[in-house]
Amino acid sequence: MRFTSERRLDDSVLEREFTLGEIPGILWTPASASTPVPLILLGHPPLGLHKMYPRLVARARHAAAEGFAAATIELPGSGDRPRWAAAEQARADLRRAMEAGEPVTAEIIDALILPLVDKAVPEAQAALDALLSLPEIGGPVGYSGGVISVGIRLAVVEPRIVAAGFFAGSFVPRIMFEEARQVTIPLHVLLQWDDEGNDRQAALDLFDAFGSKEKSLHANMGGHAGVPQFAGEDAAGFFARHLR
C-alpha cells in the first residue's frame, strides 16, 4: 500500500488516497483517535470512485463520528482501471434489455455479476491485509453497501468481517442464494420498496435465505435513490453495536 495524498476534511476526519498495486482507494480515519480503531469497508456500485465520492465521504463521516475508520477501493473495470470486454458486453446487454422494457435474463445477470465477484473479493481481502497492518487500525471489520453479491461472498469467505450492512438494490445471480445460506454474521439489510431496478420479491427471498441468526430488514418507501437520511443513522447504530 502506498499513500498518494493526505488532507484533513475538517478537525475530525483525515482522508488519505492510496494505491494497492494498481488499485486506487481512499482511507478515512478519525483525526482524534489515540488508539487503534475498528474499520468499515465501504462497498459501492461500479460507477467509479470519482462519481461515488460524495456518497462515500458522507458515509465515512458517519463512521468517523462513531470512532471508526472507513476505506474503499475501486472495483475491477471501473473508474480509471482497465476495462475487460466481457464486463462491457454484459453492461451493454443490460442497458439494451432495460431500455427496451424487456426482462433482464439470468444469463445477463450472471455475466454481469459473477466475474465481478470473482475479481473484487480477493482484491478486497488484499486491501484488508494492508489496512489492518496500519498501526491506527485494529479491527474488528464491518462491510457496508455496494454490490450485494460482493458482500455476500466476503461475508462467507472473510472471517475478519464480523458484521455487514447490505443494500438490496442490485441484481443477484441465483447461485448467490446458495452462498447466502452460508452467511452467519449479523446483517442489516436495507430495501427500497419501490426500487425501479430491483426485483422486490427476489430481495425478500434473498433476505430469507441468509443463514444469520441476527438479521434485520429495513424497508422504506421510495425508489432506488430515495433512501431516507435516517436509514444511515440506523446503519450507524448497527455497526456501533457490533464493532465496539
Side-chain angles (χ1 to χ4, degrees):
M1 172 184 280
R2 182 172 67 88
F3 289 107
T4 57
S5 71
E6 177 178 316
R7 65 170 179 155
R8 286 183 180 269
L9 301 184
D10 48 42
D11 290 339
S12 61
V13 182
L14 176 65
E15 177 184 276
R16 285 173 285 176
E17 295 185 357
F18 64 85
T19 57
L20 187 66
E22 300 299 318
I23 306 169
I26 309 173
L27 170 64
W28 297 271
T29 49
S32 60
S34 57
T35 58
V37 297
L39 172 69
I40 298 178
L41 190 63
L42 302 179
H44 55 90
L47 300 175
L49 280 182
H50 293 300
K51 186 171 183 178
M52 292 303 302
Y53 177 81
R55 298 185 203 176
L56 289 166
V57 72
R59 292 160 63 192
R61 287 180 183 275
H62 278 296
E66 295 290 341
F68 306 146
T72 190
I73 59 173
E74 187 72 89
L75 285 170
S78 296
D80 297 327
R81 296 190 64 184
R83 300 296 191 262
W84 79 86
E88 292 296 296
Q89 183 61 56
R91 290 174 183 172
D93 292 342
L94 174 65
R95 286 193 299 270
R96 190 178 304 113
M98 296 186 74
E99 289 169 0
E102 299 173 353
V104 178
T105 65
E107 290 75 17
I108 292 175
I109 294 173
D110 287 356
L112 182 70
I113 302 297
L114 294 178
L116 177 63
V117 172
D118 290 341
K119 289 176 179 287
V121 167
E123 292 182 353
Q125 291 181 291
L128 285 181
D129 290 341
L131 291 162
L132 290 172
S133 72
L134 298 173
E136 61 267 39
I137 299 177
V141 180
Y143 177 83
S144 174
V147 178
I148 194 169
S149 293
V150 172
I152 291 170
R153 176 72 57 80
L154 274 170
V156 172
V157 304
E158 181 46 73
R160 292 173 292 188
I161 295 176
V162 302
F166 292 153
F167 179 50
S170 54
F171 296 106
V172 181
R174 295 303 303 181
I175 194 172
M176 296 305 301
F177 282 68
E178 293 303 316
E179 293 196 31
R181 293 183 174 88
Q182 302 173 49
V183 175
T184 58
I185 60 174
L187 296 179
H188 177 103
V189 182
L190 175 64
L191 171 65
Q192 287 300 104
W193 199 249
D194 306 302
D195 193 331
E196 58 278 7
N198 188 32
D199 183 330
R200 182 196 301 163
Q201 189 57 54
L204 295 173
D205 291 344
L206 179 63
F207 179 79
D208 190 50
F210 285 125
S212 303
K213 291 182 178 179
E214 180 187 336
K215 57 181 180 179
S216 58
L217 179 67
H218 299 254
N220 298 292
M221 304 304 293
H224 187 85
V227 179
Q229 183 175 351
F230 62 76
E233 298 167 359
D234 292 342
F238 167 79
F239 284 115
R241 289 195 304 276
H242 291 287
L243 299 186
R244 286 207 177 104

